């Protein structure tokens, strides 16, 4: 393969600091605290331009367009402040026009709520228009859901978009609409002409198209008398050329996942729908024929881990493979040409994990991402005709001069003899012995860590800490028996595994037992606190970012949302609600605690951190809460993340008697 590496975007938008400068703790905090330069990216239909969302100073974002042929500096065409609106993703409708989804986190009469809208804009920044249908002055409510993109319809600048209809008052007019619920419209992104494709349905919650403008799957879900979602979701399908809905499958929402065959994508050429369903306790990919027979076929499975993602490509978003994680993420392509390409690319990009991000309309130019544990990653365009690979833009240019630490998959033995998979990161150039160390459990709990670049663990490694990231029981990806009853209801097992990761670091001599800390975000913050409840002597410092601290409070935070029954079932009712809530056992925590939380967090309310600190102090403990105004669960702000990293590093060193 001939490889041509060119700098397409003229690196005038950033400047990487020197290696010597980054040795300074403040510069390291700024470099690692900077958000990814490319938060989301797409390739134009002709393959000649990219559009990407990039952070601006502080918490804002901008949409930039770069010409891969002419080169030069990318042009900013749209900007958001993240107060309250933020850009979620942007895609090319044509070679000259894009559509973007916008997310808003706003204060309402009943608390904070999220809203979304879809807009279209020209590639030169002109012609900004709202695609989400505006509600009239007679509307009896406000549509929070502004719609989602299904596919590009008939082409020529059209888009197939879901629409949530709000009924209107009929007083004094004959023009009101009684339509209510989720439907589908075909919208011209330039003229805004729209045609109803699927009539709004009160129980409709999702649609799946065939990638060619035809809706083939509909999901429906009813609500109870209190207005809450029922657990049963029914899927219907249409045969090719028919408008009649036929039963497809039914799944149950248990709050921590869907049980049953969940449809994700339709292949119109094969006339099948692909979906994930459990096989022998692990997620596998199946297909069901849409010809009236519903012929079921196992497409791909693994005996050791879940299949967790479909690989799609092109304007039709066609399914070409699957992805799963063993020690590292792996992909299998059904398309022979892409499988051959996947096998050849590592020769040009050795040691990298390669992801297919987007393609031109003819699929001759592919947008790729390649990165590793010691490389935050770079975007490339591969031209299949020329067999050339061109560099487009790096993901984290601020780290270009920073030596990153290798991440090693390991296993350690839990107290009951179970081998727990984890990832170990040791500081560059260290002996790997007698180090200050951090146990860093992941969020979720319905999630898992995987091999690759992680900005938090790499920051700590750069500051001299060993970091272990355990995929404790309660993590996803390893099947039902590993997940157990989730990390809250089965907290003793999950948190026991987390604590055992710390004991393993000490036992192997990697960690100085007097300099062992625990740091976590979201559920990871919960695990950090509850791990100290379970073993008060193990950790010498505790850091929680947006942590869950009380399970009953977490349940009540969902009372005004339609998914409350599912959250209620996820948390459950039993002794674990009290025993598994660190705020109810604050007196057992002996190590100093530092918490961070955004006051606009819709995932975990800031009140949980306030409660935790209050109870820790009442019990005579040392605790501090740093609140960030105007930020949600992810704390997407370069300056705030930089401040947070500095505060954590200072806190850990002070708590464990280390040099600053």
């Amino acid at each position: 393969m001939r490889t041509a590496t060119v700098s397409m975007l003229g690196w005038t938008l950033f400047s990487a600091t020197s290696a010597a400068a980054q040795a300074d703790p403040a510069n390291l905090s700024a470099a690692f605290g900077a958000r990814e330069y490319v938060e989301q990216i797409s390739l134009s239909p002709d393959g000649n331009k990219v559009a990407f969302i990039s952070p601006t100073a502080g918490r804002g974002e901008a949409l930039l367009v770069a010409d891969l042929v002419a080169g030069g500096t990318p042009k900013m065409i749209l900007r958001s402040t993240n107060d309250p609106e933020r850009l979620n993703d942007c895609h090319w409708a044509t070679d000259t026009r894009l559509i973007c989804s916008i997310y808003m986190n706003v204060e309402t009469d009943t608390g904070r709520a999220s809203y979304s809208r879809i807009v279209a804009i020209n590639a030169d920044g002109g012609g900004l228009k709202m695609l989400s249908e505006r509600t009239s002055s007679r509307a009896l409510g406000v549509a929070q859901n502004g719609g989602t993109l299904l596919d590009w319809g008939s082409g020529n600048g059209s888009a197939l978009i879901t629409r949530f209809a709000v009924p209107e008052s009929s007083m004094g007019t004959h023009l009101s609409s009684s339509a209510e619920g989720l439907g589908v419209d075909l919208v011209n992104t330039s003229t805004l002409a729209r045609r109803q494709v699927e009539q709004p349905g009160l129980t409709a919650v999702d649609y799946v198209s065939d990638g060619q403008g035809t809706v083939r799957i509909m999901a429906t879900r009813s609500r109870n008398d209190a207005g809450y979602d029922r657990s049963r979701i029914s899927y219907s399908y249409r045969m090719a050329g028919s408008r009649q809905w036929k039963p497809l499958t039914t799944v149950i929402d248990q709050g921590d996942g869907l049980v049953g065959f969940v449809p994700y994508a339709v292949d119109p050429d094969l006339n099948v729908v692909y979906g994930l369903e459990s096989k022998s306790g692990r997620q596998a990919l199946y297909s069901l024929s849409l010809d009236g027979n519903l012929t079921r076929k196992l497409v791909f499975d693994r005996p050791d881990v879940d299949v967790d993602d479909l690989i799609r490509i092109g304007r039709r978003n066609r399914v070409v493979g699957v992805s799963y994680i063993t020690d590292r993420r792996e992909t299998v392509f059904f398309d022979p040409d892409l499988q051959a390409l996947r096998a050849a690319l590592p020769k040009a990009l050795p040691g990298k994990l390669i992801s297919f991000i987007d393609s031109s309309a003819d699929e001759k130019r592919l947008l790729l991402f390649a990165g590793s544990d010691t490389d935050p990653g770079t975007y490339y365009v591969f031209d299949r005709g020329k067999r050339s690979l061109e560099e487009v833009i790096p993901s984290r240019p601020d780290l270009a001069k920073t030596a990153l630490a290798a991440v090693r998959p390991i296993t350690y033995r839990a107290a009951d003899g179970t081998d727990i998979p984890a990832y170990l990161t040791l500081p560059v150039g260290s002996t790997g012995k007698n180090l200050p160390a951090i146990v860093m459990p992941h969020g979720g709990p319905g999630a898992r860590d995987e091999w690759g670049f992680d900005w938090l663990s790499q920051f700590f490694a750069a500051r001299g800490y060993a970091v272990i990231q355990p995929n404790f029981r309660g993590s996803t990806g390893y099947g039902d028996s590993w997940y157990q009853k989730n990390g809250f209801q089965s907290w003793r097992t999950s948190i026991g595994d987390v604590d055992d990761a710390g004991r393993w670091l000490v036992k192997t001599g990697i960690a100085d037992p007097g300099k062992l800390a625990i740091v976590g975000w979201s559920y990871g913050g919960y695990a950090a606190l509850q791990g100290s409840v379970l073993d008060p002597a193990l950790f010498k410092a505790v850091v929680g970012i947006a942590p869950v601290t009380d399970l009953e409070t977490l349940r009540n935070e969902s009372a005004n949302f339609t998914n409350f029954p599912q959250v209620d079932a996820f948390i459950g009712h039993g002794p674990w609600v009290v025993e598994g809530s660190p705020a109810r056992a604050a007196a057992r925590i002996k190590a100093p605690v530092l918490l961070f939380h955004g006051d606009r967090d819709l995932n975990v309310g800031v009140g949980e951190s306030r409660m935790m600190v209050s109870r820790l102090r009442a019990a005579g403990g040392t605790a501090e809460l740093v609140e960030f105004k105007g930020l949600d669960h992810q704390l997407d702000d370069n300056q705030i993340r930089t401040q947070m990293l500095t505060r954590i590093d200072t806190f850990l060193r002070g708590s464990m008697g280390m040099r600053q």
Side-chain angles (χ1 to χ4, degrees):
M1 177 183 297
R2 182 171 61 87
T3 302
T5 302
V6 296
S7 175
M8 289 292 184
L9 301 186
W11 313 120
T12 56
L13 293 184
F14 55 80
S15 59
T17 55
S18 68
Q22 289 213 354
D24 179 78
N27 286 324
L28 278 175
S29 295
F32 283 100
R35 291 171 289 162
E36 287 181 286
Y37 185 65
V38 179
E39 296 181 348
Q40 183 262 331
I41 188 169
S42 63
L43 185 67
S44 62
D46 63 8
N48 292 332
K49 294 183 288 293
V50 291
F52 60 98
I53 298 174
S54 185
T56 57
R59 63 193 61 177
E61 292 155 330
L63 173 62
L64 297 101
V65 172
D67 191 318
L68 301 179
V69 177
T73 301
K75 179 181 179 181
M76 183 178 70
I77 65 169
L78 189 62
R79 193 167 190 158
S80 66
T81 63
N82 203 1
D83 189 20
E85 82 289 343
R86 65 174 300 169
L87 290 167
N88 254 9
D89 57 76
C90 296
H91 300 276
W92 294 88
T94 67
D95 292 326
T96 59
R97 194 153 175 82
L98 298 115
I99 71 168
C100 299
S101 73
I102 296 174
Y103 168 86
M104 292 163 282
N105 179 337
V106 300
E107 187 73 38
T108 69
D109 293 339
T110 57
R112 302 210 69 84
S114 62
Y115 291 80
S116 65
R117 293 294 183 265
I118 298 180
V119 301
I121 189 171
N122 291 338
D124 62 4
L128 179 64
K129 295 181 179 180
M130 176 82 73
L131 295 188
S132 299
E133 190 167 46
R134 300 179 186 273
T135 53
S136 75
S137 59
R138 299 185 301 274
L140 298 176
V142 178
Q144 286 184 244
N145 180 355
T148 57
L149 173 68
L150 295 181
D151 70 35
W152 298 113
S154 57
N156 300 318
S158 65
L160 203 63
I161 296 174
T162 62
R163 174 174 71 91
F164 191 84
V166 177
E168 299 173 355
S169 170
S170 60
M171 293 182 62
T173 181
H174 296 291
L175 302 177
S176 64
S177 171
S178 60
E180 183 174 7
L182 193 68
V184 179
D185 287 351
L186 182 66
V187 184
N188 185 294
T189 61
S190 295
T191 67
L192 302 189
R194 59 195 317 127
R195 174 173 63 85
Q196 181 176 282
V197 174
E198 300 295 337
Q199 183 176 352
L202 188 58
T203 61
V205 293
D206 196 15
Y207 295 91
V208 180
S209 78
D210 64 357
Q212 297 178 326
T214 301
V215 175
R216 297 291 301 275
I217 308 289
M218 176 176 65
T220 58
R221 182 181 204 164
S222 62
R223 292 180 177 175
N224 61 25
D225 293 340
Y228 290 127
D229 292 335
R230 298 187 188 275
S231 296
R232 185 180 298 271
I233 303 174
S234 297
Y235 289 91
S236 303
Y237 79 99
R238 287 189 177 120
M239 296 175 61
S242 172
R243 292 290 297 174
Q244 180 183 355
W245 289 114
K246 299 171 70 70
L248 177 68
T249 185
T250 298
V251 304
I252 302 299
D253 185 351
Q254 295 186 327
D256 53 359
L258 301 178
V259 178
F261 177 88
V262 183
Y264 286 107
V266 171
D267 187 321
D269 297 328
L270 298 177
N271 199 26
V272 300
V273 59
Y274 292 107
L276 297 178
E277 186 174 8
S278 179
K279 176 181 181 289
S280 302
R282 291 182 175 84
Q283 289 290 99
L285 180 66
Y286 288 88
S287 68
L288 289 178
S289 67
L290 301 179
D291 57 3
N293 297 315
L294 296 183
T295 303
R296 182 184 181 88
K297 178 183 177 182
L298 174 64
V299 180
F300 188 85
D301 72 324
R302 289 278 303 188
D304 50 349
V305 294
D306 294 331
V307 175
D308 66 3
D309 199 10
L310 302 181
I311 308 301
R312 310 187 196 194
I313 195 172
R315 301 284 287 176
R316 290 171 49 186
N317 211 23
R318 64 186 182 96
V319 175
V320 295
V322 293
S323 178
Y324 57 90
I325 310 169
T326 53
D327 285 343
R328 302 185 182 192
R329 181 165 291 279
E330 300 181 37
T331 56
V332 173
F333 285 94
F334 309 144
D335 183 302
D337 291 339
L338 290 175
Q339 181 63 22
L341 176 59
R342 175 65 184 85
L345 282 171
K347 298 175 183 177
L349 299 167
K352 312 296 184 187
L353 288 181
I354 301 169
S355 303
F356 288 62
I357 305 299
D358 203 355
S359 80
S360 58
D362 59 11
E363 298 184 12
K364 291 182 179 179
R365 286 172 66 81
L366 304 176
L367 181 65
L368 311 174
F369 177 80
S372 69
D373 53 346
T374 59
D375 178 1
T378 299
Y379 292 90
Y380 299 86
V381 167
F382 177 71
D383 190 305
R384 299 171 76 176
K386 298 178 180 178
R387 305 290 291 176
S388 64
L389 187 68
E390 299 173 327
E391 180 179 321
V392 177
I393 190 169
S395 174
R396 289 181 177 268
D398 292 291
L399 294 174
K401 301 295 184 180
T402 303
L404 299 177
V407 178
R408 180 162 57 98
I410 58 102
T411 59
Y412 64 90
R413 189 65 55 87
D416 64 1
T418 302
D419 286 331
I420 310 298
Y423 295 97
L424 178 66
T425 306
L426 298 177
V428 175
S430 74
T431 63
K433 295 296 181 182
N434 203 35
L435 297 169
I438 294 171
V439 176
M440 198 169 82
H442 62 70
R448 59 154 293 169
D449 279 315
E450 61 181 290
W451 184 86
F453 173 83
D454 181 293
W455 64 278
L456 273 177
S457 62
Q458 287 290 344
F459 168 75
F460 292 129
R463 292 295 291 138
Y465 301 90
V467 181
I468 189 170
Q469 297 169 269
N471 279 322
F472 47 85
R473 282 169 287 185
S475 303
T476 55
Y478 299 93
D480 296 342
S481 62
W482 192 263
Y483 184 71
Q484 301 199 347
K485 293 182 180 179
N486 77 53
F488 290 129
Q489 295 193 36
S490 300
W491 75 267
R492 287 190 182 276
T493 301
S494 300
I495 303 305
D497 290 350
V498 170
D499 283 0
D500 284 336
R503 297 186 186 101
W504 179 84
L505 287 173
V506 172
K507 182 180 179 180
T508 56
I510 294 172
D512 178 338
K515 297 175 182 176
L516 179 65
I518 185 166
V519 178
W521 200 316
S522 194
Y523 178 88
Y526 164 84
L529 293 164
Q530 192 66 6
S532 294
V533 169
L534 195 61
D535 187 346
L538 182 61
F539 301 109
K540 310 310 174 187
V542 178
V543 176
I545 306 167
V548 172
T549 69
D550 184 80
L551 299 186
E552 197 61 54
T553 300
L554 183 67
R555 187 201 318 276
N556 292 335
E557 288 172 2
S558 296
N560 292 327
F561 294 86
T562 60
N563 69 336
F564 175 73
Q566 289 70 50
V567 175
D568 181 56
F570 173 64
I571 295 172
H573 296 267
W576 60 84
V577 176
V578 173
E579 296 168 359
S581 295
R584 313 237 183 161
R588 287 186 54 80
I589 298 178
K590 305 305 179 185
V593 173
L594 174 62
L595 303 182
F596 300 88
H597 219 126
D599 69 350
R600 292 187 181 179
D601 195 328
L602 292 176
N603 297 64
V604 181
V606 66
E608 295 205 39
S609 284
R610 293 170 181 167
M611 176 198 305
M612 190 74 222
V613 167
S614 175
R615 293 189 179 181
L616 284 167
R617 290 174 176 171
T622 301
E624 181 182 2
L625 168 62
V626 180
E627 284 192 33
F628 296 124
K629 301 299 181 183
L631 289 178
D632 61 13
H633 196 65
Q634 304 304 325
L635 302 181
D636 283 323
D637 183 309
N638 293 2
Q639 279 71 42
I640 291 301
R641 286 189 174 187
T642 297
Q643 294 172 24
M644 183 177 71
L645 292 180
T646 299
R647 291 286 292 269
I648 293 174
D649 188 34
T650 301
F651 168 75
L652 294 179
R653 292 175 183 277
S655 300
M656 298 190 295
M658 300 165 57
R659 292 178 57 187
Q660 296 292 336

